[in-house]
């Protein structure tokens, strides 16, 4: 699983600038459509260009690429439900090829009849259900450059005297499980505390894609419930809901993950 900074609803302003590609946002909900980067171009020597695209795609194994072809016109589409940095980097490198081929941008209103199509699927790991029901996978609101982030959230409570030791163990587990971001909200009351824990990563660039085995992480967290009198979920009423924070313990790319007040 890849967690971390991504874009879906809005374009990453001030991070990328495209000559050929347009960003089409996802809408979520019942629409359930991926976000897309799409270019419609006219290029001479389409067979040679498509071969170059195939070679380029082999270096971006986590991306999807679809081509619709009408003689010397091509509609190039990159889409997914989370567009990470490596998707935008892929589009930038395609644009470099288009410039080299003296490609011409074609308006989407011009008639287009699909003669052939080609799809290049991403390399995906076998789908695994999350074994641990105490883990919620959550998105975020918008941060810098319209970024969102995908994170594992765990709600729990325990006696206050064990809080620091638990946090120290969670820092250790995060490092072991390739999670570079850990922050939490809390609420301490009497001799008890409620915690809302978040684990994720930063921007996912093609050179530094970070994979996380969420079930391995979950197993280690569950073991802590045997070490401490730890219970999943929150204790008490809404008055004790953990809204104090965020308290940052591990962080990269902070401005894309945390809104500073």
């Amino acid at each position: 699983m890849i967690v971390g900074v991504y874009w879906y609803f809005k374009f990453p302003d001030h991070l990328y600038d495209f000559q050929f590609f347009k960003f089409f946002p996802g809408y979520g909900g019942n629409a359930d459509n991926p976000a897309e980067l799409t270019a419609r171009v006219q290029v001479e020597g389409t067979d040679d260009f498509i071969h170059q695209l195939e070679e380029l795609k082999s270096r971006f194994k986590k991306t999807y690429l679809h081509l619709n072809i009408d003689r010397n016109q091509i509609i190039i589409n990159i889409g997914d439900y989370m567009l990470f940095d490596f998707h935008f980097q892929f589009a930038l490198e395609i644009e470099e090829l288009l410039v080299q081929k003296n490609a011409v941008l074609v308006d989407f209103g011009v008639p287009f009849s699909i003669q052939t199509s080609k799809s290049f699927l991403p390399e995906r790991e076998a789908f695994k259900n999350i074994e641990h029901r105490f883990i919620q996978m959550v998105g975020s609101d918008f941060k810098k450059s319209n970024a969102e982030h995908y994170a594992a959230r765990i709600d729990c409570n325990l006696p206050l005297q064990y809080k620091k030791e638990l946090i120290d163990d969670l820092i250790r587990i995060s490092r072991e499980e390739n999670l570079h971001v850990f922050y939490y909200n809390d609420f301490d009351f009497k001799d008890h505390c409620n915690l809302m824990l978040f684990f994720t990563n930063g921007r996912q660039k093609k050179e530094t894609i970070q994979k996380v085995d969420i079930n391995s992480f979950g197993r280690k967290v569950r073991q802590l419930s045997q070490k401490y009198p730890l219970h999943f979920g929150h204790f008490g009423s809404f008055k004790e809901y953990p809204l104090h924070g965020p308290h940052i313990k591990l962080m990269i790319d902070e401005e894309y993950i945390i809104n500073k007040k």
Side-chain angles (χ1 to χ4, degrees):
M1 175 182 289
I2 298 176
V3 298
V5 173
Y6 73 98
W7 289 265
Y8 177 72
F9 290 109
K10 296 182 180 181
F11 183 78
D13 289 343
H14 312 299
L15 287 181
Y16 297 98
D17 184 27
F18 293 112
Q19 178 180 344
F20 295 99
F21 278 93
K22 292 184 178 181
F23 176 79
F24 294 92
Y27 293 100
N30 291 330
D32 192 35
N33 64 310
E36 295 178 330
L37 289 166
T38 302
R40 181 172 174 180
V41 297
Q42 180 174 307
V43 59
E44 301 305 322
T46 53
D47 289 343
D48 179 58
F49 174 67
I50 291 169
H51 178 69
Q52 290 177 295
L53 276 182
E54 290 183 50
E55 290 185 347
L56 180 59
K57 171 66 180 68
S58 68
R59 303 202 296 275
F60 287 85
K61 299 184 184 299
K62 297 294 182 183
T63 58
Y64 169 83
L65 175 67
H66 181 77
L67 308 176
N68 286 327
I69 305 155
D70 180 8
R71 293 179 293 275
N72 64 347
Q73 286 191 37
I74 304 177
I75 297 176
I76 307 169
N77 180 269
I78 302 165
D80 213 327
Y81 287 90
M82 287 183 284
L83 293 182
F84 296 102
D85 274 278
F86 57 79
H87 290 96
F88 295 94
Q89 290 176 298
F90 185 34
L92 284 177
E93 295 204 25
I94 292 175
E95 290 219 338
E96 290 181 15
L97 285 180
L98 290 169
V99 170
Q100 293 170 16
K101 300 291 276 185
N102 297 311
V104 177
L105 186 65
V106 179
D107 187 88
F108 278 88
V110 174
F112 186 93
S113 177
I114 299 174
Q115 303 299 315
T116 57
S117 295
K118 288 180 176 288
S119 289
F120 305 91
L121 299 178
E123 177 187 87
R124 295 193 186 275
E125 300 175 17
F127 176 78
K128 294 182 181 178
N129 288 317
I130 297 176
E131 299 169 359
H132 309 281
R133 297 183 66 179
F134 58 83
I135 296 177
Q136 306 172 60
M137 300 308 300
V138 297
S140 73
D141 55 3
F142 298 115
K143 313 299 180 184
K144 181 179 178 181
S145 298
N146 298 320
E148 303 166 68
H149 67 272
Y150 189 52
R153 170 181 158 177
I154 299 173
D155 295 340
C156 61
N157 69 89
L158 81 169
L160 192 57
Q161 69 185 88
Y162 299 103
K163 178 180 174 182
K164 183 181 182 305
E165 292 177 66
L166 172 69
I167 295 300
D168 288 343
D169 276 342
L170 290 170
I171 292 170
R172 172 185 55 79
I173 290 171
S174 296
R175 288 175 169 150
E176 291 172 356
E177 295 299 319
N178 206 24
L179 289 158
H180 297 80
V181 175
F182 167 36
Y183 63 95
Y184 67 93
N185 293 344
D186 63 359
F187 189 92
D188 299 341
F189 54 103
K190 296 182 180 179
D191 59 351
H192 212 77
C193 71
N194 281 328
L195 295 167
M196 185 188 301
L197 312 168
F198 295 92
F199 306 88
T200 186
N201 278 318
R203 295 173 64 185
Q204 298 296 299
K205 299 182 179 180
K206 72 170 183 176
E207 307 86 0
T208 54
I209 296 174
Q210 296 141 358
K211 297 180 185 177
V212 174
D213 185 335
I214 200 67
N215 286 326
S216 173
F217 168 72
R219 284 191 291 273
K220 291 181 179 181
V221 173
R222 184 173 287 284
Q223 288 170 3
L224 296 180
S225 66
Q226 300 170 5
K227 181 177 181 181
Y228 303 107
L230 170 70
H231 300 278
F232 297 111
H234 293 145
F235 180 80
S237 66
F238 186 75
K239 292 188 299 182
E240 291 83 31
Y241 196 74
L243 295 176
H244 297 160
H247 308 291
I248 297 170
K249 308 311 291 184
L250 297 173
M251 182 59 63
I252 55 174
D253 299 324
E254 180 174 349
E255 63 271 34
Y256 298 94
I257 295 172
I258 300 292
N259 280 334
K260 291 189 175 181
K261 297 179 181 179

